[in-house]
Amino acid sequence: MTALIDCHSDLMIDLQRRRSQGEEKVFERVHLPELRAGGVAACLCIVGGDLAVLLPGGIESHEGTLRLVDMLRADIAETSGARIAGSASEVRQLIDDGVFAIIPALEGASPLRGDPALVGELHAAGVRVIGLTWNTRNEIAVGLDRSVAGERHDDGTGLTKAGREAIKEMNRIGVVVDVAHGTPKTFWDVVEVSEAPFIVSHANARTLRDHVRNLDDEQLRAVRDVGGMVGVVLYPPYVGPLPLTVDNVVDHIEYLVDKVGEDSVGIGADFIDYALEELVAEYVEHGIPYDEANFVYPAGVETCRSLSGIVEAMARRGFSSEAIEKIASGNMLRVLREVEEAAA
């Protein structure tokens, strides 16, 4: 089975809830069997950010992130089947050894508190990818989509002064920049400032699905030109009108490959079946509209357990084995490695 790297996993929402209730070996018991069944060999695991639902007890985002990393380490220490990885070479070695690789990441830069110097502290704690924003404005950047009380933030603003310095610090230390959820101005500011490849961990092609979270062709070419990667997302509103199947997801993969090549595409599933109750509560609290039908994932890739269906669908569509390997895992590994090399 082709090894997959999921470039966006929120499983920590479930893990921290269960650990807080006294459960042990949560990853080994609950998540690892499902991931292995779907051919997932590694993931970018969100350990904090702009979402209150990510934080234990709703505590402040910086402290909360450090607590979540500690909680994740404690849980992973209880299993022999997974490890936290600190480099591209470690991820590759773990996958080759049959050990699940976890790459801690943020979805929103609130934990930086607007202080670029904290990039180093988070890196030391294990964070290797920082998403600049969720659906909100923070001290670093501006997010897109509907946000607090229905306010929209696509007002032409992007990286703050602190955000520009934070990007430079991420480049210097070797932390991957993730521009998912960012406004167009945030995106283009990162293109201007970053001297290393960046990713858009979960987004699709706007030509196929006209949604503000998806990328237009000019943005896709910019990701390619900096050596970055776009993780094709399975969350239904960004794929197409319901009902959906895995072939609708592969339509986006095929479009991206046609426009920017097989070296610039990955998979950022964004499954939330294990955190639906918490996420809906977050939406309600912030006045964000939602439709329960939007949480019905495409047939054939409903959960991480069936994610290998995307590999099978690509093979049916005529993708070469080399292209499938790149999209499944190789491109994310390459970006990690090149960001590390740029820092060195």
Side-chain angles (χ1 to χ4, degrees):
M1 185 181 293
T2 300
L4 289 157
I5 296 179
D6 183 355
C7 298
H8 186 80
S9 174
D10 288 315
L11 67 82
M12 194 66 202
I13 298 175
D14 180 68
L15 191 150
Q16 71 94 1
R17 179 186 64 228
R18 291 174 180 269
R19 295 283 301 189
S20 298
Q21 295 171 349
E23 294 187 37
E24 297 180 346
K25 297 185 177 181
V26 176
F27 188 82
E28 180 180 69
R29 293 184 300 102
V30 179
H31 296 284
L32 187 55
E34 300 294 302
L35 291 161
R36 289 204 185 285
V40 186
C43 73
L44 272 61
C45 181
I46 302 302
V47 293
D50 292 349
L51 291 80
V53 69
L54 285 168
L55 304 174
I59 61 177
E60 187 269 335
S61 59
H62 178 79
E63 180 185 354
T65 292
L66 297 178
R67 288 194 191 183
L68 283 178
V69 172
D70 287 344
M71 186 180 291
L72 177 62
R73 289 191 182 281
D75 197 83
I76 296 306
E78 296 169 358
T79 175
S80 60
R83 290 288 182 273
I84 294 173
S87 68
S89 61
E90 287 182 17
V91 176
R92 178 76 271 171
Q93 189 62 57
L94 289 169
I95 292 175
D96 290 345
D97 292 343
V99 179
F100 193 92
I102 298 174
I103 306 155
L106 299 184
E107 187 170 22
S110 293
L112 292 179
R113 297 172 173 167
D115 182 0
L118 291 180
V119 172
E121 181 180 350
L122 292 172
H123 180 270
V127 173
R128 292 297 180 267
V129 180
I130 294 182
L132 302 181
T133 179
W134 185 57
N135 297 339
T136 53
R137 183 190 304 269
N138 59 43
E139 300 94 335
I140 298 298
V142 183
L144 206 50
D145 283 4
R146 294 167 296 276
S147 189
V148 180
E151 178 187 0
R152 294 187 66 89
H153 293 299
D154 49 351
D155 57 359
T157 55
L159 289 179
T160 64
K161 180 179 179 181
R164 289 174 174 269
E165 293 303 315
I167 298 297
K168 294 176 182 178
E169 189 67 1
M170 285 183 241
N171 289 170
R172 187 184 72 80
I173 292 176
V175 173
V176 177
V177 178
D178 179 8
V179 198
H181 285 275
T183 61
K185 185 63 164 60
T186 295
F187 177 94
W188 291 111
D189 283 351
V190 172
V191 173
E192 175 189 339
V193 174
S194 182
E195 296 182 355
F198 64 82
I199 67 171
V200 186
S201 62
H202 51 304
N204 288 334
R206 186 173 291 191
T207 298
L208 298 188
R209 179 61 165 173
D210 188 11
H211 191 285
V212 294
R213 277 283 320 284
N214 289 337
L215 304 178
D216 63 30
D217 288 356
E218 186 178 7
Q219 290 174 304
L220 293 175
R221 287 190 292 269
V223 174
R224 175 200 62 197
D225 291 346
V226 301
M229 186 213 69
V230 178
V232 169
V233 62
L234 279 61
Y235 183 58
Y238 311 138
V239 179
L242 301 176
L244 295 166
T245 72
V246 63
D247 285 312
N248 298 115
V249 178
V250 177
D251 288 342
H252 283 275
I253 295 175
E254 193 168 57
Y255 183 87
L256 266 61
V257 169
D258 179 64
K259 289 296 179 182
V260 297
E262 62 191 35
D263 294 327
S264 303
V265 186
I267 298 170
D270 200 13
F271 290 124
I272 52 174
D273 51 299
Y274 37 69
L276 185 56
E277 182 178 340
E278 292 91 339
L279 189 62
V280 168
E282 178 102 343
Y283 276 28
V284 170
E285 179 181 351
H286 289 153
I288 302 174
Y290 73 94
D291 183 341
E292 290 184 2
N294 288 339
F295 300 106
V296 179
Y297 280 72
V301 281
E302 298 88 347
T303 70
C304 65
R305 185 176 186 84
S306 55
L307 191 57
S308 61
I310 204 167
V311 171
E312 297 161 4
M314 282 192 286
R316 290 195 301 269
R317 195 72 65 92
F319 283 80
S320 69
S321 58
E322 181 183 6
I324 290 173
E325 189 280 330
K326 288 180 179 180
I327 294 165
S329 62
N331 291 332
M332 186 65 238
L333 283 171
R334 175 188 57 76
V335 172
L336 281 170
R337 184 182 68 254
E338 290 182 357
V339 169
E340 293 166 10
E341 291 172 350

